[in-house]
Amino acid sequence: MSTLEEQIDISVPTRVVWDRLHRVEEYTRFVEGVRQVRAEGGQRARVDVEAGGRAQEFDAEITDRDRGRVMAWRTRNGPRLAGTFSVLPIDAEHSRIQVRLEYDPSTVTETFGGPKGFAQATAIERLVRQDLEQFRDLVEREH
């Protein structure tokens, strides 16, 4: 498994960030390649993505930990992916989101296509960073 960690500061309170992260149906607005996310009761969601010219659907399980500061998720089928979103207060009006993504590069290549090795890792890092920036811009604009 490979691990990717990124973070970004957002000019909104942590409660707003936490609330927006839990609106999974809005992930289409800031996560590249996500075509639709449907909450399916409890802590599950159905995710429809397109990447590398391929469409893929999978189920994700979402759990909250650490008294509302960490949202963990993992796929239940499809590509083997797992991660966390940690929301940390900087001050009353600013927050930091830390993202940790765990993935098997060969599984991601098989599922979504694309180059192997360093080029794939660099592409994934770039996408995660862009998604975080889009999330920040969306939340700050709509807050």
Side-chain angles (χ1 to χ4, degrees), residues 9-130:
D9 294 345
I10 299 178
S11 296
V12 297
T14 56
R15 65 178 164 65
V16 174
V17 174
W18 188 249
D19 178 60
R20 294 304 289 263
L21 282 173
H22 282 79
R23 296 181 192 177
V24 296
E25 66 281 352
E26 290 189 6
Y27 282 34
T28 59
R29 297 177 68 191
F30 61 88
V31 179
E32 181 71 29
V34 172
R35 299 187 315 181
Q36 184 178 29
V37 181
R38 296 176 308 279
E40 296 201 335
Q43 297 177 324
R44 293 192 181 222
R46 184 79 175 158
V47 183
D48 179 4
V49 298
E50 184 174 337
R54 299 179 189 178
Q56 177 85 9
E57 280 196 27
F58 56 87
D59 296 314
E61 179 179 41
I62 302 165
T63 58
D64 292 344
R65 302 191 316 225
D66 199 17
R67 289 183 263 149
R69 294 189 314 192
V70 178
M71 183 171 91
W73 61 271
R74 67 183 175 109
T75 55
R76 302 286 295 169
N77 60 351
R80 204 170 105 199
L81 304 167
T84 59
F85 296 103
S86 300
V87 181
L88 309 168
I90 295 174
D91 60 33
E93 294 299 318
H94 298 87
S95 307
R96 176 170 293 140
I97 298 179
Q98 295 176 330
V99 175
R100 179 182 173 96
L101 175 65
E102 297 175 8
Y103 64 98
D104 177 0
S106 63
T107 299
V108 171
T109 300
E110 290 168 13
T111 304
F112 300 117
K116 293 185 179 182
F118 179 75
Q120 182 185 48
T122 301
I124 291 170
E125 288 174 11
R126 186 176 60 251
L127 283 172
V128 170
R129 184 69 191 170
Q130 288 171 352

